Amino acid sequence: MEELDSIAIDRIIEMAWEDRTTFESIEFQFGLKEQEVIDLMRREMKLKSFKNWRKRVQGRKTKHEKLRTFAKGRFKCTRQRSISNNSISKR
């Protein structure tokens, strides 16, 4: 895992908390696989917050593109630019 600055770490955490942002999207933008995101969350968050997040995303179909049942109506964060490969949007 490459060294990430604090802005990138904050954005990854924000994306991981969003219900409809997939792990595949995080991997596409930041190059972190699901397990690396979990490790980052464990390292950067308080234990209770991490446990709440894990409980929340475990088995959630919207966190994995292959498990999704919808094709249209994809959620897009207001801070995400229209270019999907842009790793950090300007705030």
Side-chain angles (χ1 to χ4, degrees):
M1 182 166 60
E2 64 184 55
E3 290 298 317
L4 299 167
D5 62 0
S6 62
I7 295 172
I9 290 171
D10 288 345
R11 183 64 185 128
I12 292 167
I13 291 171
E14 184 179 17
M15 290 174 76
W17 268 104
E18 292 171 351
D19 289 340
R20 297 177 68 152
T21 301
T22 63
F23 287 114
E24 290 85 1
S25 297
I26 296 171
E27 183 176 2
F28 181 73
Q29 289 187 10
F30 294 96
L32 299 178
K33 296 188 182 298
E34 180 179 354
Q35 187 58 51
E36 293 172 320
V37 173
I38 293 168
D39 293 341
L40 181 131
M41 298 289 276
R42 181 180 284 123
R43 187 180 67 237
E44 296 293 327
M45 298 173 73
K46 295 178 188 175
L47 180 61
K48 181 71 174 170
S49 297
F50 173 75
K51 285 182 178 181
N52 286 337
W53 174 75
R54 281 300 289 155
K55 186 177 180 181
R56 180 182 169 92
V57 299
Q58 204 125 35
R60 185 173 289 269
K61 291 182 179 183
T62 56
K63 292 304 279 184
H64 298 277
E65 286 182 16
K66 291 179 182 177
L67 299 177
R68 288 182 167 199
T69 57
F70 57 89
K72 290 189 175 186
R74 180 176 133 330
F75 175 76
K76 185 174 177 183
C77 179
T78 57
R79 285 178 284 219
Q80 184 178 358
R81 287 186 165 184
S82 43
I83 301 171
S84 62
N85 195 17
N86 198 359
S87 59
I88 300 174
S89 61
K90 294 184 179 179
R91 295 181 180 195

